Amino acid sequence: MQTSNHKKTSGRIVALLLIMALFLLGNGFLNYVFTPYRGSSGEMWMYYQKAEPEMIYTGSSQCLCGIDPETVDDILRTSSYNMGTNMQSFRSSYVAIRAAVEEKGVRRVVLCVDDEITGLDRTDNFRADASFQRARNANTNRLTAGRETLSFLMDEPVLMHTGSINYFFPWSYDRVTDIGQNIKEKRDKKVYDETGHRMITGREPSEEILEDDLTVIGYEEWEEWNQTAGDLEILSLSADSRKELQKIASYCQEKGVELIPITLPYPTAFRLYAPESYQKTVEELTELFSAYGFDYRNFNFAKPSFYQIDLSEYKDTGHFNTKGALRFSQVLAGYLEMSETERSSCFYTTDDF
């Protein structure tokens, strides 16, 4: 009788182990098929390992497409690297900044504050966050990977959220559409289409040109546009975004790192957002960074004598193409050399509206 029970127990354990093995194999197969060979975050961390920057740029795809380290470095005689990634959250920016400061000795950080990201809660952007963290794990030591993964999963917005489970199934949130090419690239360890991939310095190049017949609304026309365009979007700074930005600013202040927070210019800023909400958010960001001793500037408020939008320099309504990135990077290099007083003279304030 005891022998029979023992056999049943052993059989159940074997069956359970077999199910677990099949489950892990299945998950591994799906990851191989669907997760990209070299995604935005994966490439960023891969090139980061070889970089020796004195300065970094962090932020979303606006940063990824819009800042060319080589152009800035040629002017400032420095060494920099673009750590921007698609839909990068402010939490991920913090991870990037902390890594660069502690591992590379970076002393200067340009943080790109994307209007599209400011209003998001952390769980709204889980796919990009999870992809970013997993790519980080694949390009660092196990101890760091384990510590950062635990921090990622145990933060309140993710803990007990479906994302805390989905994190372990990358194919469910980080996947490609061209499965055949993805498998071929993984098999051959080679990228066959460079479109959408970054340069070794971090920027993603593009020769596309915005084709929309678009009229750029400037600050002079903003109020009139608001009255005639109907309901415009309300821009805001979410509680999660505020928390992460304060964390970044506090960390940089503590470590003696110069933080340069900016918002890159794009042609639809004043077409999309209601003036009152946009102005309020800019004021909140200005006050937030000022509390830590840092100067925030929104380049959509740049005076025409300093910077003016040219639609031929955009690949779409939110991102620079290569031509635009090179020109904006020249402007940015000049901005980085300015004193706070000099910077002030180049921008309108919310009071001017």
Side-chain angles (χ1 to χ4, degrees):
M1 192 72 178
Q2 290 180 344
T3 301
S4 176
N5 289 336
H6 179 72
K7 286 182 178 180
K8 287 182 179 179
T9 301
S10 298
R12 288 171 182 167
I13 292 174
V14 170
L16 180 61
L17 292 175
L18 182 59
I19 291 171
M20 290 178 62
L22 291 173
F23 178 78
L24 292 174
L25 285 172
N27 189 42
F29 173 75
L30 291 171
N31 286 336
Y32 183 81
V33 170
F34 290 109
T35 58
Y37 169 57
R38 273 177 26 192
S40 176
S41 294
E43 274 193 336
M44 187 280 285
W45 285 114
M46 179 183 71
Y47 289 139
Y48 161 84
Q49 294 300 322
K50 302 175 182 179
E52 294 297 335
E54 301 166 315
M55 174 170 63
I56 60 164
Y57 318 96
T58 61
S60 68
S61 54
Q62 286 189 335
C63 173
L64 169 64
C65 298
I67 301 179
D68 182 59
E70 289 182 281
T71 298
V72 176
D73 293 343
D74 285 345
I75 296 172
L76 300 184
R77 301 299 179 206
T78 186
S79 174
S80 60
Y81 179 67
N82 192 325
M83 298 186 77
T85 54
N86 292 331
M87 288 298 292
Q88 185 179 117
S89 70
F90 298 131
R91 182 200 180 276
S92 291
S93 291
Y94 171 77
V95 172
I97 292 167
R98 181 169 177 171
V101 170
E102 297 181 2
E103 298 169 1
K104 304 288 186 178
V106 163
R107 309 308 300 164
R108 201 178 204 190
V109 172
V110 176
L111 172 66
C112 300
V113 181
D114 188 340
D115 289 337
E116 187 177 358
I117 303 297
T118 59
L120 296 181
D121 291 325
R122 190 177 168 203
T123 51
D124 294 332
N125 201 23
F126 175 81
R127 291 180 61 179
D129 249 1
S131 298
F132 187 91
Q133 186 60 58
R134 290 193 69 89
R136 163 67 169 164
N137 292 350
N139 290 276
T140 190
N141 61 72
R142 291 183 179 180
L143 181 62
T144 300
R147 183 185 70 244
E148 291 187 2
T149 297
L150 187 63
S151 173
F152 177 87
L153 294 173
M154 296 303 290
D155 280 358
E156 187 177 347
V158 172
L159 184 65
M160 303 305 291
H161 181 265
T162 53
S164 62
I165 298 175
N166 290 347
Y167 176 79
F168 298 100
F169 305 94
W171 57 269
S172 69
Y173 55 82
D174 185 18
R175 51 184 178 267
V176 298
T177 54
D178 192 338
I179 296 173
Q181 178 172 295
N182 188 47
I183 292 175
K184 184 180 179 183
E185 289 182 340
K186 286 186 174 180
R187 182 195 66 198
D188 299 341
K189 295 183 171 50
K190 179 181 178 181
V191 172
Y192 284 101
D193 182 1
E194 292 293 342
T195 304
H197 289 277
R198 67 179 66 220
M199 304 163 66
I200 195 168
T201 54
R203 179 176 65 84
E204 181 184 306
S206 174
E207 302 307 318
E208 295 180 69
I209 298 177
L210 177 64
E211 295 181 356
D212 290 0
D213 184 15
L214 182 70
T215 300
V216 178
I217 303 298
Y219 74 96
E220 301 95 340
E221 304 90 15
W222 199 7
E223 280 294 349
E224 182 180 350
W225 171 259
N226 181 44
Q227 294 170 9
T228 60
D231 294 334
L232 298 182
E233 294 183 33
I234 302 299
L235 183 66
S236 64
L237 180 64
S238 72
D240 282 352
S241 291
R242 177 181 290 276
K243 172 187 172 183
E244 297 301 334
L245 289 173
Q246 288 174 328
K247 193 163 138 184
I248 289 172
S250 175
Y251 177 80
C252 289
Q253 182 189 56
E254 177 188 343
K255 297 296 181 180
V257 174
E258 182 185 3
L259 180 67
I260 303 104
I262 63 171
T263 293
L264 274 68
Y266 59 101
T268 54
F270 294 160
R271 295 178 65 94
L272 287 176
Y273 296 109
E276 185 177 347
S277 71
Y278 201 93
Q279 292 165 7
K280 180 182 178 183
T281 301
V282 169
E283 289 169 355
E284 288 179 354
L285 289 168
T286 300
E287 291 171 3
L288 186 155
F289 289 111
S290 179
Y292 296 90
F294 302 119
D295 182 29
Y296 164 75
R297 296 290 170 183
N298 186 315
F299 274 75
N300 290 304
F301 286 1
K303 293 180 179 179
S305 58
F306 178 55
Y307 179 83
Q308 203 161 10
I309 285 178
D310 181 343
L311 291 179
S312 71
E313 296 180 344
Y314 288 82
K315 70 174 185 177
D316 55 38
T317 55
H319 303 89
F320 282 114
N321 56 26
T322 292
K323 177 185 174 185
L326 298 183
R327 183 168 78 94
F328 179 74
S329 297
Q330 291 176 339
V331 173
L332 177 62
Y335 174 82
L336 293 175
E337 291 186 301
M338 292 178 181
S339 66
E340 185 173 341
T341 301
E342 291 172 323
R343 291 173 182 176
S344 297
S345 67
C346 296
F347 294 84
Y348 295 109
T349 68
T350 54
D351 292 335
D352 295 319
F353 295 84

